């Protein structure tokens, strides 16, 4: 969603960092471009004005213009003000209240309230180990209550039984009572929406609030609606009193103005963002991480968290043991490709890595996009068990059969086999060095981050780190200059899977690294 803004701000700020000295005119010209970029991204005018005024006030000071690297100081000021605009600290759902904690979901029709209700319930069950009850109060939309019931079955979460003819207010009272009797920790009320705000809707919301006494009132807004979402938040806050926001469809190609304006205009925190249609695709909103991504600094903490969620620790350990023996067959390659897809594909991973966001377009132009992985998985799936375990069996007749089965041609199969062969050779080399090569590589990275004393010069053990420690690790990397765009020039050529001559495949990449936290 923020790609266009990221490209615009990146080119403006790169123009400043490349200069030895800056005048007030240089800063003013750059801020004019920043202002235009934010307005084009659909950020609210009052927010843009206040943002550029604060940046100018700090950037035109004598200590900035006379500093050793004035351009980098301006980038830091823009970064800090972006975080301030987004809301300095991330705020999660507050469950600090007597059980059952009532969460009320409000919003217009079509914003994704029902799906988001199930996503939040699923998140509370899997991450917080809470017992959750969901109740649909939408008696107007056809099959709305049935939709929530089916979502509940899908994620194995209790839903309130439907009684025909009950009013939304009565259903709310019954849901709270049922949650008390059933020993539920949380009850989520999925209220009705309208195509636009009207008086009957607001009266209904106010009455439900009076009866259910919710601890959290979350407004679900579609981020693709831009400034309409901001006006919607204002209206609901004035009439009902919201405690936070959930922005859906953040994986879309909208301009991101709603997300950037929401906190500054309403004063209410964005608590969660929907990043896809699947039940697990709901993330906490971290202002610092979003600001890092917008300025092309990457988001190492989110990348590690994503890896921890998606990587099976036992499989990773088994893979590491095979690598130590120098073994790597096509089954292992398929596992690596599947793990890459779970983590958001090559594009998703690259977007979270420092200084690598600009590589996505180059990779797509070179044909290294996620569709390539799908074709490679189709090829491997069309092979027999024996062929996957021993690729040397693949002669011309077998390749013809595999090409017909996977909808590809012999050239695609040969490319895959060549990539696998080079990767297998690399694994053998690493096996001979007893992991010394990998330790040396990780040790060099740790030293650059100022962590050389940990684990004998290697990387710290991520398995024993909580999110706060990971945040501290990211800040330490940022302080050492590692998170700045272009600070890791060796990465594009040496990253597995990016066409590098020595590491052409994906096997040595992030998904197979041992030492990550276990999958919960």
């Amino acid at each position: 969603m923020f790609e266009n803004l990221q490209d615009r701000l990146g080119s403006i700020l790169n123009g400043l960092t490349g200069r030895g000295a800056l005048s007030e005119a240089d800063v003013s010209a750059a801020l004019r471009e920043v202002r235009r970029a934010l307005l084009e991204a659909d950020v609210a005018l009052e927010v843009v004005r206040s943002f550029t005024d604060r940046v100018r006030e700090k950037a035109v000071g004598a200590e900035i213009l006379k500093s050793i690297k004035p351009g980098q100081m301006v980038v830091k000021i823009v970064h800090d003000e972006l975080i301030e605009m987004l809301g300095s600290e991330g705020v999660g759902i507050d469950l600090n209240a007597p059980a059952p904690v009532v969460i009320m979901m409000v919003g217009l029709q079509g914003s994704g309230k029902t799906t988001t209700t199930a996503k939040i319930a699923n998140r509370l069950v899997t991450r917080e180990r809470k017992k959750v009850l969901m109740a649909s109060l939408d008696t107007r939309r056809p099959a709305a209550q049935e939709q929530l019931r089916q979502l509940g079955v899908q994620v194995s979460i209790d839903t309130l039984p439907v009684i025909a003819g009950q009013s939304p207010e009565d259903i709310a009272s019954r849901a709270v009572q049922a949650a008390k009797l059933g020993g539920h920790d949380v009850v989520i009320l999925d209220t009705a929406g309208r195509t636009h705000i009207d008086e009957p809707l607001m009266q209904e919301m106010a009455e439900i609030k009076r009866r259910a006494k919710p601890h959290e009132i979350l407004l679900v807004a579609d981020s693709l609606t831009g400034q309409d979402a901001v006006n919607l938040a204002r209206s609901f806050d004035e009439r009902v009193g919201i405690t936070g926001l959930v922005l859906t469809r953040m994986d879309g190609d909208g301009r991101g103005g709603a997300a950037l304006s929401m906190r500054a205009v309403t004063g209410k925190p964005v608590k969660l963002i929907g990043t896809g249609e699947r039940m697990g695709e709901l993330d906490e909103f971290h202002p610092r991480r979003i600001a890092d991504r917008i300025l092309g600094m990457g988001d190492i903490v989110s990348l590690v968290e994503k890896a921890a969620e998606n990587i099976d620790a036992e499989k990773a350990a088994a893979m590491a043991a095979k690598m130590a023996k120098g073994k790597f067959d096509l089954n292992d390659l398929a596992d690596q490709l599947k793990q890459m897809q779970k983590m958001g594909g090559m594009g998703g991973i690259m977007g979270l890595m420092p200084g690598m966001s600009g590589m996505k377009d180059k990779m797509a132009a070179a044909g290294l996009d996620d569709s390539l992985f799908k074709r490679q998985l189709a090829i491997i799936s069309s092979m027999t068990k024996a062929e996957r375990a021993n690729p040397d069996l693949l002669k011309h007749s077998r390749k013809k059969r595999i090409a017909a089965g996977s909808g590809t041609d012999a050239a695609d199969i040969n490319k895959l086999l060549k990539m696998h062969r080079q990767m297998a050779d690399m694994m053998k080399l690493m096996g001979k060095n007893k992991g010394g090569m990998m330790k040396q590589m990780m040790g060099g990275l740790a030293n650059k981050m100022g962590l050389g004393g940990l684990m004998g010069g290697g990387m710290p053990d991520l398995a024993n780190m909580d999110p706060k420690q990971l945040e501290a690790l990211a800040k330490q990397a940022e302080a050492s200059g590692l998170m700045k765009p272009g600070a890791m020039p060796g990465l594009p050529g040496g990253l597995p899977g990016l066409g590098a001559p020595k590491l052409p495949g994906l096997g040595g990449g992030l998904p197979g690294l041992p030492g990550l936290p276990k999958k919960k």
Side-chain angles (χ1 to χ4, degrees):
M1 172 161 279
F2 298 112
E3 280 180 12
N4 290 336
L5 181 60
Q6 181 180 318
D7 292 343
R8 286 290 303 277
L9 289 181
S11 61
I12 295 163
L13 297 173
N14 283 343
L16 290 180
T17 52
R19 300 187 193 181
L22 287 181
S23 65
E24 288 192 24
D26 293 332
V27 174
S28 295
L31 284 178
R32 235 186 344 267
E33 290 299 314
V34 169
R35 177 191 174 103
R36 189 176 293 143
L38 289 171
L39 287 173
E40 285 177 7
D42 204 23
V43 180
L45 179 60
E46 68 231 62
V47 177
V48 175
R49 276 182 184 152
S50 130
F51 175 80
T52 49
D53 287 348
R54 287 199 310 272
V55 172
R56 183 179 287 108
E57 190 181 314
K58 292 182 180 178
V60 180
E63 69 277 6
I64 300 297
L65 299 179
K66 290 177 183 174
S67 68
I68 301 167
K69 293 181 179 175
Q72 289 185 358
M73 287 300 292
V74 173
V75 173
K76 184 186 183 304
I77 291 165
V78 170
H79 180 249
D80 292 345
E81 290 303 328
L82 259 180
I83 294 171
E84 193 61 35
M85 180 168 79
L86 291 164
S88 50
E89 290 297 326
V91 181
I93 292 176
D94 181 15
L95 299 177
N96 190 18
V101 179
V102 181
I103 298 173
M104 180 174 163
M105 311 292 288
V106 300
L108 293 184
Q109 226 169 47
S111 59
K113 281 193 307 301
T114 305
T115 307
T116 303
T117 297
K119 283 183 178 182
I120 291 174
N122 184 49
R123 187 183 181 87
L124 292 175
V125 169
T126 54
R127 294 198 178 195
E128 308 278 339
R129 300 288 185 264
K130 300 290 183 187
K131 188 179 180 185
V132 180
L133 175 69
M134 300 189 293
S136 175
L137 278 57
D138 191 349
T139 55
R140 292 171 176 268
R141 182 166 65 89
Q145 293 176 310
E146 176 61 17
Q147 181 191 354
L148 190 67
R149 189 193 70 76
Q150 288 197 8
L151 287 170
V153 171
Q154 186 182 324
V155 290
S156 305
I157 293 171
D158 296 338
T159 52
L160 188 73
V162 177
I163 296 178
Q166 264 199 325
S167 69
E169 295 86 353
D170 291 340
I171 296 171
S173 302
R174 182 163 64 90
V176 175
Q177 190 61 31
K180 285 177 182 173
L181 294 172
H184 292 86
D185 302 305
V186 180
V187 56
I188 306 178
L189 305 177
D190 175 28
T191 65
R194 301 281 193 285
T195 52
H196 60 278
I197 294 170
D198 61 10
E199 191 56 34
L201 170 68
M202 289 305 182
Q203 286 177 356
E204 184 181 295
M205 296 298 114
E207 180 59 24
I208 291 168
K209 180 182 176 183
R210 189 185 68 77
R211 289 211 200 177
K213 297 180 176 59
H215 184 63
E216 284 268 28
I217 301 176
L218 300 178
L219 172 67
V220 181
D222 184 347
S223 59
L224 297 185
T225 56
Q227 288 310 303
D228 276 353
V230 180
N231 299 329
L232 175 75
R234 271 186 179 143
S235 302
F236 267 98
D237 191 35
E238 285 166 9
R239 296 298 305 274
V240 184
I242 60 174
T243 59
L245 300 123
V246 181
L247 290 178
T248 58
R249 296 210 278 184
M250 285 290 285
D251 56 324
D253 57 359
R255 292 174 292 178
L260 295 173
S261 311
M262 204 65 93
R263 175 66 185 251
V265 172
T266 63
K268 304 295 178 184
V270 178
K271 297 199 170 189
L272 297 163
I273 52 175
T275 55
E277 293 182 4
R278 289 193 288 268
M279 284 295 112
E281 292 178 326
L282 184 75
D283 296 334
E284 285 182 12
F285 185 83
H286 293 281
R288 174 175 287 277
R289 300 187 197 180
I290 298 287
D292 285 350
R293 284 188 220 179
I294 291 171
L295 293 181
M297 295 176 182
D299 185 358
I300 291 292
V301 179
S302 291
L303 184 59
V304 171
E305 284 179 356
K306 199 173 272 194
E309 284 174 27
N310 289 296
I311 292 170
D312 189 317
E314 289 178 12
K315 272 191 179 180
M319 170 71 82
K322 280 185 85 173
M323 281 168 63
K325 293 175 186 173
K327 292 180 181 176
F328 187 79
D329 60 24
L330 287 168
N331 288 314
D332 300 323
L333 178 57
D335 286 341
Q336 296 280 287
L337 292 171
K338 284 172 188 171
Q339 285 180 349
M340 288 283 282
Q341 285 185 324
K342 277 185 190 174
M343 289 174 66
M346 185 62 88
I349 292 170
M350 298 294 283
L352 297 176
M353 294 187 74
M356 298 295 286
S357 53
M359 287 290 293
K360 284 195 279 186
D361 294 336
K362 293 177 187 173
M363 285 167 48
L368 273 166
D369 57 3
D370 293 336
S371 62
L372 173 69
F373 296 163
K374 288 177 185 172
R375 283 199 303 276
Q376 290 178 336
L377 281 169
I379 291 169
I380 295 171
S381 300
S382 299
M383 296 178 187
T384 64
K385 281 184 181 178
E387 287 166 348
R388 287 198 290 268
N390 183 12
D392 292 335
L393 293 174
L394 294 173
K395 303 304 176 193
H396 180 67
S397 58
R398 290 181 186 246
K399 286 179 186 176
K400 274 181 73 176
R401 188 202 79 238
I402 293 164
S406 58
T408 56
D409 55 36
D412 290 326
I413 298 169
N414 288 334
K415 279 180 193 171
L416 175 69
L417 293 175
K418 184 181 177 184
M419 183 179 85
H420 169 262
R421 199 160 46 246
Q422 289 174 318
M423 288 170 65
D425 290 343
M426 184 186 72
M427 297 303 165
K428 283 176 188 169
L429 190 65
M430 288 173 71
K432 284 177 188 173
N433 287 337
K434 301 291 182 192
M437 249 177 86
M438 183 60 78
K439 191 170 182 182
Q440 205 172 354
M441 284 162 57
M442 299 309 275
L445 184 59
N447 287 331
K448 190 160 186 181
M449 291 170 72
L451 303 165
L454 292 171
M455 289 189 67
M459 282 293 278
D461 185 6
L462 302 174
N464 298 319
M465 286 191 164
D466 60 27
K468 285 185 180 175
Q469 288 173 308
L470 290 169
E471 288 276 11
L473 187 66
K475 285 177 187 173
Q476 200 165 346
E478 187 182 334
S480 68
L482 194 63
M483 304 278 278
K484 289 170 188 161
M488 300 169 77
L491 270 179
L495 258 189
L498 294 181
K502 291 186 182 174
L503 306 178
L506 301 166
L510 287 162
L513 279 181
L516 288 168
K518 285 190 179 180
K519 188 175 181 182
K520 290 180 182 177

